[in-house]
Each structure stands twice: as structure tokens, then as C-alpha cells.
Amino acid sequence: MVDMNQIREDALKQIDASDSLGELDALRVSLLGKKGSIQSLMKEMKNLPKEEKPAFGAAVNELKQSVSEAIEKQKEVLAKKALNEKIESEKIDITLPGLRPSHGNLNPLNLVERELEDLFVGLGYSVIEGDEVTTDFYCFERANIPQGHPARDMQDSLFIDNEKLLRTHTTAIQMQVLEESAPNPIKVVCPGKVYRRDDDDATHSHQFMQMEGLVIGENVPLSDLKGTLEFVARKMFGKDREIRFRPSYFPFTEPSVEVDVTCHMCNGKGCPTCKGTGWIEILGAGEVHPNVLRMAGYDPDKMNGFAFGVGLERIAMLKYGIDDIRHFYTNDRRFNETFDRFD
């Protein structure tokens, strides 16, 4: 005769001993599945007398019910246990150092441009940008460089059609600012990329960055230009830097000067960096030519001013010790990673 109590006791012991949801589910199938041991008890009814069948069936159903309830309770226990184990395994140890996310760095040209813009904005200048495609009129004619002028020889290139070209200097922006601002005072810097026909090597490129400055007002002396550039040189290269003016020629300024700064490597004593002179050329400048003022709508007898232009690659190469201008344009992430801030 089947001992229901013994079957229940054995089943409950197995259920209590199950240690995982997978093990418990396998036990449920073995006990209550279609081919399970408890479900198979119903096959014994055919061997029982008719009067014993109802009581036997009721006893089997009660056994199935108690085993099912025990399985559900154990399932809740094991599910809670599994959740706690998962939480424990995924717990974050806040005492460990965090992982620093990888991020890109600005090109040193951008760093130098931002640093110069900050300096000039602090001096009261506005920052004006313009289109890289400009016209012959603003790039040359308004800058006192007419057709056939020798100064065009090194810049007269990269034309799109007879009138439009990729700007060869950001002076083109200044000429438009002059025209739009006349006859009012001006104090602006104009940064941007420029293009010229040139052979690329360690110190030359067919494209490079410029920043030009323009100040127009009443009685603006050349000494203001020198004081401004001396301030910028000391901020960019060190507080002990000195500058000097050398006579030069530019079609859009008169008088014109080349500007040198004392070498930051030898402090003016002479070294390979400055070729033994103690000085490094950094930019060109001068008083705005009366013809340029007159063409833009200013009266050169009442208004004057100065202009200057600096190559950002030259400043960056001197400031950071970069030996090849082509590094700026190779898109080598390792190069950019060397620079993570501007001073």
C-alpha cells in the first residue's frame, strides 16, 4: 500500500534541500510533471477496489497541493537569495579610484588662438571672423595692392573664378570691417585660416592660421602698437621678453615694421634657436596706409591707426617647441594629446 505521508515527507525534504531555482524547477518536474512520481500515483487507482478509489484520489490531490505550496514558498526564498547574491556581486566599491574617460584635446593652434583672443578681449578688442572665400576686391584692391602690384606675386593664387579666391590673409576681413565701420573708431582682431601657393616643408604650408589686429581712432601713435605687442609677447613667452621694431614694407601700412622678440631659449644672449642673434621675428605691423583709410571712407587727416598680423603656427612653434609645421595638420591624436590646456 502507498504511504502518502512518507512520500510527502521525502518530497518536502528534497524541496528544502534545493539550493537554486534551477535545481528547484528540476525537482518540480520530477515530482509533479506528467511523468513525475506523484502524478504517477494516479495510475495505482486501477488496482484499487471501487470503494477505495475516491479516498485515494483525494489523498493524491492533497499531496500534490501541499508539495506545490512547498515548492512556491521555496521558490520565493531562492529568488530572494539569488537577487541578494546579484546585488552583492554588482556592488560598486566607492573606495576604488574612478576610471578617467578618454577625451580629445584641442590642437595647439586652437589653444594659441584662444589665448590670444583672451588677451585682446581683455584689452577691449572685439573678435571678428569672416568667410574663407573672399573677393579680389577685398583681398587685394582695398588693401592697396592693385592689379599688377609686385606684392601679389607670393599671394595671387587659389582663385575659384576671376573674382573669388581663398583668402591669402585675414586682411580681407579688416577691409570689410573698415568699410562697414567708417567713419567710426575700430578695435578688432581677426583670426582665421588663410591659403597661399607654397611648397610644404618643415616651416612652410599652403594653409596656415593668422590673427590680424586693427585699431583706428584719432591720434593713435605707433607707440601704442609697441606697447600692445610688448604686453602680448610677455604674456605669451614670459615676463622678461622685450620687442624691437625693424623697418619693413607692406602695401597696406606706412610706415611698416617687422617685430622681433627676445629669444625665450637664451633670453637674448644668442643660441641655435635664434641663430645667434638673440632675437626671433614674430610678426609684421605698421600704421594703416592713408590710401587704405581713404578707400574705406575715412579721412586720413583726422583718423589714423595701426595694424598687425601674426601667424599662429609660428607662435605655437615658438611657445611649445614644435619643430615641424606639418604636425598641426596630420590629424595625429598622439600629437594633440601632448597639449591639454593653454597657459
Side-chain angles (χ1 to χ4, degrees), residues 116-173:
L116 285 172
E117 286 179 355
D118 283 354
L119 290 177
F120 283 110
V121 168
L123 293 174
Y125 287 69
S126 298
V127 179
I128 305 295
E129 297 181 348
D131 297 329
E132 293 186 13
V133 176
T134 187
T135 63
D136 181 279
F137 180 72
Y138 287 113
C139 196
F140 299 120
E141 298 284 344
R142 275 293 176 84
N144 204 32
I145 312 176
Q147 291 285 345
H149 195 288
R152 287 199 179 208
D153 290 347
M154 62 178 290
Q155 299 188 31
D156 198 3
S157 58
L158 300 177
F159 274 81
I160 296 171
D161 57 33
N162 288 335
E163 292 296 325
K164 296 185 180 66
L165 75 157
L166 294 175
R167 66 189 180 199
T168 60
H169 45 196
T170 53
T171 305
I173 307 174

Side-chain angles (χ1 to χ4, degrees), residues 70 88 132 149 180 208 214 281 284 307 309 332 338:
E88 186 66 26
E132 293 186 13
H149 195 288
E180 295 167 359
F208 55 96
L214 176 65
E281 179 184 328
D332 190 334
T338 308

Side-chain angles (χ1 to χ4, degrees), residues 44-113:
E44 299 293 330
M45 291 184 64
K46 64 183 180 180
N47 301 322
L48 296 175
K50 185 177 180 180
E51 61 275 9
E52 294 181 9
K53 288 182 178 181
F56 184 81
V60 172
N61 287 334
E62 182 183 351
L63 174 61
K64 289 167 60 178
Q65 182 67 27
S66 62
V67 170
S68 295
E69 291 176 356
I71 288 175
E72 288 302 314
K73 289 181 179 178
Q74 183 68 358
K75 184 177 181 180
E76 293 180 6
V77 172
L78 294 177
K80 186 175 181 180
K81 176 185 176 183
L83 178 61
N84 289 336
E85 289 176 350
K86 183 178 181 181
I87 292 173
E88 186 66 26
S89 66
E90 296 178 355
K91 184 184 294 184
I92 298 175
D93 186 353
I94 60 175
T95 64
L96 294 175
L99 298 176
R100 184 177 181 181
S102 176
H103 60 86
N105 288 8
L106 290 175
N107 189 284
L109 292 179
N110 297 108
L111 298 178
V112 168
E113 180 181 356

Side-chain angles (χ1 to χ4, degrees), residues 8 17 54 59 67 72 77 91 143 153 172 190 201 209 230 235 238 240 249 252 272 278 296 298 301 318 321 328:
R8 179 183 293 104
V67 170
E72 288 302 314
V77 172
K91 184 184 294 184
D153 290 347
C190 306
D201 57 30
M209 296 287 291
E230 194 169 65
K235 286 291 185 179
D240 297 326
Y249 169 77
F252 34 82
Y298 287 89
D301 293 327
L318 293 174
F328 296 116

Side-chain angles (χ1 to χ4, degrees), residues 240-242 262-271 274 278-279:
D240 297 326
R241 301 282 72 76
E242 298 291 341
T262 49
C263 179
H264 59 291
M265 297 297 291
C266 65
N267 203 29
K269 296 178 180 179
C271 68
C274 60
W279 298 90

Side-chain angles (χ1 to χ4, degrees), residues 129-332:
E129 297 181 348
D131 297 329
E132 293 186 13
V133 176
T134 187
T135 63
D136 181 279
F137 180 72
Y138 287 113
C139 196
F140 299 120
E141 298 284 344
R142 275 293 176 84
N144 204 32
I145 312 176
Q147 291 285 345
H149 195 288
R152 287 199 179 208
D153 290 347
M154 62 178 290
Q155 299 188 31
D156 198 3
S157 58
L158 300 177
F159 274 81
I160 296 171
D161 57 33
N162 288 335
E163 292 296 325
K164 296 185 180 66
L165 75 157
L166 294 175
R167 66 189 180 199
T168 60
H169 45 196
T170 53
T171 305
I173 307 174
Q174 292 183 334
M175 297 305 104
Q176 291 176 285
V177 171
L178 275 168
E179 182 181 278
E180 295 167 359
S181 303
N184 300 311
I186 299 173
K187 200 173 185 181
V188 299
V189 286
C190 306
K193 186 182 290 185
V194 299
Y195 305 84
R196 296 183 186 177
R197 182 184 67 246
D198 210 341
D199 296 325
D200 290 8
D201 57 30
T203 57
H204 298 84
S205 174
H206 66 280
Q207 64 176 25
F208 55 96
M209 296 287 291
Q210 269 191 340
M211 179 177 288
E212 296 193 20
L214 176 65
V215 175
I216 301 295
E218 295 183 12
N219 301 317
V220 180
L222 199 63
S223 58
D224 283 1
L225 170 63
K226 186 173 183 181
T228 299
L229 297 181
E230 194 169 65
F231 169 80
V232 172
R234 288 173 176 174
K235 286 291 185 179
M236 295 297 291
F237 301 114
K239 61 182 179 63
D240 297 326
R241 301 282 72 76
E242 298 291 341
I243 68 169
R244 72 176 181 182
F245 284 177
R246 289 182 290 109
S248 187
Y249 169 77
F250 302 108
F252 34 82
T253 53
E254 179 61 38
S256 302
V257 295
E258 297 282 0
V259 182
D260 302 330
V261 63
T262 49
C263 179
H264 59 291
M265 297 297 291
C266 65
N267 203 29
K269 296 178 180 179
C271 68
T273 299
C274 60
K275 299 179 181 178
T277 66
W279 298 90
I280 296 176
E281 179 184 328
I282 57 171
L283 57 88
E287 285 279 321
V288 179
H289 199 291
N291 289 348
V292 173
L293 292 173
R294 191 176 293 110
M295 285 187 289
Y298 287 89
D299 183 351
D301 293 327
K302 296 180 179 179
M303 303 285 279
N304 74 311
F306 60 77
F308 57 87
V310 59
L312 299 189
E313 283 85 350
R314 182 156 186 78
I315 297 298
M317 292 173 78
L318 293 174
K319 184 176 177 66
Y320 296 118
I322 299 168
D323 60 0
D324 195 322
I325 195 173
R326 290 168 292 193
H327 289 320
F328 296 116
Y329 301 104
T330 54
N331 296 322
D332 190 334

